[in-house]
Amino acid sequence: MESQSNISEFILLGFSYDPNVQLFCFVLFLLVYVSILVGNLLVLVSIICSSLYHQPMYYFLIHLASMDICYTSSVTPKLIGDLLVKKKSISYGSCMLQVFSMHFFGGVEILILAAMAFDRYVAICKPLHYMIIMNRTRCNFLVLAAWVGGAAHSFPQLSMAILLPFCGPNELDHFFCDLFPLLKIACTDTYMAGVLVVANSGVICLVTFVVLVVSYVIILYNLRNHSAEGRRKALSTCASHIVVVVLLLVSAIFVYLRPPTTFPEDKVFAVFYTIIAPMFNPLIYTLRNREMKDTMRKVWCQSYFQRKSTNNLKKTIR
């Protein structure tokens, strides 16, 4: 395919043109996006300012929270802004950037979840060798591998999108730029391009999902030898990971692992893996984690009382 396009912008059809529906979606997604930013930033600051930073699981959690912010920020602000305007347009360059950033940060996030599953496997199945296996060098390597994997996934997607010729309608039946909606309006035979998208995005999601499920089955099998308290704590941690995996990967598998076409349901499932999953991550990893809750209470309460003590001291001096 040769890249030839007389289209300088795309029109995003979004969810609905009903003003009441748009207003409801605006308020809903704005609240969700604010909660994503606040929740993940709280997780980031709490871990960095505490001793949890030196534990492998929380080290990965820092990167997961960072990816959540970057990933959802590649889609959600544009979506929120479009709900306030009549013409929901996006320039060609911004569309290509959105394709790249969404797949890059999404790919990194999926691979970090795989690294976290490996960390839990070592912690539960090989507890005596945990700190030796999961040393900081290996953790850094796993994070670097996640970034390299995200780049290896996203650059082919971007190249494919750039090479698509557009010479007819420019309306994308979605709320962000993605490969399948772009393939639908490209003025060329896109069968092979669609197969490549399925092989890239769909197979990656499926393989990662299968690997994660197998790893958690092995973990749950090994829990039978632990004490009741150990099983409860491990199950609580693994359950939170499984919820994140299901929210993110199952919805992505539905969208990408099928013949290259678009359905109205794609928008609903896209909301799950671009907005809902990043919103639930900080809730799942804090509300179900006593250690994380104690750390957040200590970090933020201590900061509050130190600031209050400083203000009282200044008043006394005056």
Side-chain angles (χ1 to χ4, degrees):
M1 291 184 293
E2 296 181 0
S3 178
Q4 53 181 24
S5 175
N6 58 7
I7 291 178
S8 60
E9 67 175 14
F10 297 98
I11 304 299
L12 301 171
L13 298 184
F15 292 100
S16 172
Y17 280 97
D18 186 329
N20 294 325
V21 175
Q22 291 196 69
L23 179 60
F24 172 77
C25 290
F26 170 77
V27 174
L28 175 64
F29 291 134
L30 179 61
L31 292 174
V32 170
Y33 184 58
V34 170
S35 69
I36 290 171
L37 295 180
V38 172
N40 283 289
L41 286 173
L42 281 173
V43 170
L44 276 170
V45 175
S46 298
I47 295 175
I48 292 173
C49 295
S50 69
S51 59
L52 294 181
Y53 177 75
H54 302 288
Q55 298 184 32
M57 186 181 82
Y58 296 101
Y59 178 70
F60 291 130
L61 188 54
I62 288 176
H63 291 278
L64 181 66
S66 302
M67 287 304 102
D68 276 338
I69 293 173
C70 296
Y71 177 52
T72 194
S73 293
S74 65
V75 173
T76 311
K78 172 64 178 170
L79 167 62
I80 294 171
D82 283 345
L83 291 169
L84 296 177
V85 297
K86 187 174 182 180
K87 184 182 178 182
K88 303 168 178 55
S89 62
I90 183 171
S91 67
Y92 179 87
S94 298
C95 182
M96 296 301 110
L97 178 61
Q98 196 172 63
V99 170
F100 172 77
S101 60
M102 194 199 73
H103 283 277
F104 175 71
F105 293 121
V108 175
E109 179 165 350
I110 288 173
L111 294 174
I112 286 177
L113 285 172
M116 293 177 75
F118 175 70
D119 171 74
R120 290 301 85 201
Y121 165 77
V122 176
I124 294 170
C125 301
K126 300 179 182 297
L128 298 179
H129 302 91
Y130 176 69
M131 293 311 299
I132 297 174
I133 297 174
M134 297 305 297
N135 56 59
R136 185 47 59 94
T137 301
R138 182 165 279 109
C139 290
N140 288 333
F141 173 79
L142 290 173
V143 171
L144 177 61
W147 280 79
V148 171
H153 162 66
S154 58
F155 275 109
Q157 305 281 74
L158 175 63
S159 302
M160 203 179 309
I162 290 175
L163 290 173
L164 288 174
F166 302 101
C167 50
N170 65 338
E171 292 185 342
L172 295 178
D173 189 15
H174 217 304
F175 60 88
F176 64 90
C177 285
D178 203 4
L179 267 299
F180 280 164
L182 288 170
L183 291 176
K184 189 175 181 180
I185 65 170
C187 51
T188 186
D189 181 10
T190 59
Y191 175 77
M192 283 306 300
V195 171
L196 292 175
V197 173
V198 173
N200 190 333
S201 298
V203 172
I204 285 176
C205 290
L206 180 63
V207 170
T208 306
F209 180 73
V210 171
V211 169
L212 291 173
V213 169
V214 170
S215 68
Y216 284 119
V217 168
I218 295 173
I219 289 171
L220 294 175
Y221 177 77
N222 280 272
L223 284 176
R224 74 191 194 284
N225 299 321
H226 287 63
S227 64
E229 177 63 21
R231 283 199 300 270
R232 187 199 62 77
K233 186 175 180 181
L235 282 171
S236 177
T237 302
C238 290
S240 62
H241 291 199
I242 292 170
V243 170
V244 172
V245 168
V246 169
L247 282 174
L248 182 65
L249 287 179
V250 171
S251 54
I253 288 171
F254 174 84
V255 172
Y256 293 109
L257 194 66
R258 64 161 197 252
T261 184
T262 58
F263 296 111
E265 295 81 8
D266 289 354
K267 299 176 189 178
V268 177
F269 281 95
V271 168
F272 274 95
Y273 64 76
T274 59
I275 301 175
I276 302 300
M279 179 187 69
F280 275 110
N281 277 355
L283 296 175
I284 289 170
Y285 286 109
T286 54
L287 296 181
R288 294 183 59 85
N289 189 323
R290 182 180 299 175
E291 193 173 26
M292 190 69 200
K293 285 191 290 186
D294 291 342
T295 298
M296 292 181 71
R297 194 178 297 114
K298 186 184 299 182
V299 168
W300 295 102
C301 289
Q302 184 177 3
S303 175
Y304 169 77
F305 285 119
Q306 283 180 346
R307 191 163 58 248
K308 190 174 181 180
S309 176
T310 302
N311 292 335
N312 291 335
L313 182 60
K314 289 180 179 178
K315 290 179 181 179
T316 304
I317 294 175
R318 288 174 185 172

